[in-house]
Amino acid sequence: MPKFLLLVNHDGGVFEQPMDEWAPDDITAHFNYYEALTEELVASGEMVQFTGLADPRLARIVRSDGTAVSVVTDGPFPESKEVLAGFNVIDVVSEARALEIAARISAVPGPGGVATQQPVEVRQVMNDTAFDL
């Protein structure tokens, strides 16, 4: 079965207000939705890994030539620092199923229970068939 990486966008979708300004009940509902979806996908055997990422302000860039001391900086960053909020690795029967799961992630509730419509990028994990376009 093909594996897919679902990149969850840090973009608030249809909401401009950052999550740390949401009502506590809305934040709880948001994370409860993710928890229930994760439990469902683990039970079905489709969830390989789920990881949320910490605040982008904690991100660092590391550069190394393999011999000297590494250089660690707070940027410049590719767009992923501001964009990537977390990711899922799923093992599913088809791209159609990966897109279905991505749609459910995008529909995570925001303030007032309204779906956030967060963008979710779907990328197939490289394998022997990944180049069969």
Side-chain angles (χ1 to χ4, degrees):
M1 290 195 309
K3 289 184 180 153
F4 290 86
L5 176 65
L6 308 180
L7 300 164
V8 180
N9 198 308
H10 204 278
D11 176 313
V14 297
F15 295 99
E16 300 267 338
Q17 181 183 31
M19 185 184 294
D20 60 359
E21 295 177 11
W22 293 3
D25 287 347
D26 290 333
I27 294 171
T28 299
H30 183 87
F31 286 111
N32 286 347
Y33 179 95
Y34 272 127
E35 183 178 355
L37 180 57
T38 299
E39 287 175 4
E40 176 186 326
L41 296 174
V42 167
S44 71
E46 294 173 304
M47 180 67 75
V48 174
Q49 181 180 357
F50 165 76
T51 302
L53 299 176
D55 189 295
R57 292 173 289 193
L58 300 175
R60 302 291 178 261
I61 293 289
V62 177
R63 297 183 190 275
S64 175
D65 65 5
T67 58
V69 174
S70 299
V71 176
V72 180
T73 62
D74 183 26
F77 287 91
E79 290 185 31
S80 65
K81 177 184 177 188
E82 288 79 21
V83 175
L84 191 60
F87 63 90
N88 301 272
V89 178
I90 57 173
D91 191 358
V92 293
V93 297
S94 66
E95 179 185 42
R97 177 63 177 146
L99 295 173
E100 179 183 315
I101 293 169
R104 293 184 62 197
I105 292 169
S106 179
V108 64
V114 175
T116 63
Q117 300 178 46
Q118 279 183 287
V120 177
E121 182 178 342
V122 178
R123 300 276 306 271
Q124 186 171 350
V125 174
M126 189 179 292
N127 64 21
D128 292 343
T129 64
F131 295 105
D132 297 340
L133 301 176

